[in-house]
Amino acid sequence: MDHVCDWCGSRAKKGENIVYWELPDGTRAIEITETPAVICSDCDMIYQTEEITKEIEDQLFLIDTKKIGKTISYQELMALPRLLKRNYFDFS
Ligand SMILES: [Zn+2]
């Protein structure tokens, strides 16, 4: 499905690229490969849609980011189990 480029209004294509994302705790940035992207050949913009941006941010917020190395693919990132609830009563 075609996209309209947010920057120049030309017809843009869906593709993927590598993005660098800061973790929610701000300790470091990770590289996410094969991230769905919108690619515009007219103005050379490559960017993530708001939906993808939100998905990545939600996921990073809900998973144990210590388990992520320097690089992860988008698929791998989205496949990581979410920590739905913290156990506040675990004093061990
Ligand atoms: Zn464009």
Side-chain angles (χ1 to χ4, degrees):
M1 204 176 77
D2 281 344
H3 253 271
V4 173
C5 174
D6 280 355
W7 305 87
C8 73
S10 283
R11 196 172 277 190
K13 285 184 175 169
K14 278 193 170 181
E16 48 191 41
N17 73 335
I18 295 173
V19 295
Y20 298 90
W21 219 275
E22 192 177 311
L23 296 180
D25 62 9
T27 51
R28 65 193 174 106
I30 56 164
E31 186 182 85
I32 307 169
T33 62
E34 296 162 47
T35 312
V38 176
I39 300 172
C40 176
S41 53
D42 269 10
C43 69
D44 290 333
M45 279 303 299
I46 301 175
Y47 62 94
Q48 270 61 49
T49 60
E50 273 177 39
E51 292 133 278
I52 295 294
T53 301
K54 193 174 184 314
E55 272 184 34
I56 293 173
E57 288 190 339
D58 284 355
Q59 183 70 348
L60 287 176
F61 200 72
L62 293 168
I63 59 171
D64 183 358
T65 53
K66 291 186 187 76
K67 288 182 178 156
I68 308 175
K70 280 184 180 171
T71 303
I72 191 166
S73 76
Y74 179 79
Q75 298 282 338
E76 285 170 338
L77 177 67
M78 289 304 153
L80 287 174
R82 292 182 167 191
L83 307 169
L84 289 179
K85 285 180 193 161
R86 282 172 193 271
N87 186 354
Y88 292 107
F89 301 98
D90 182 1
F91 298 110
S92 61

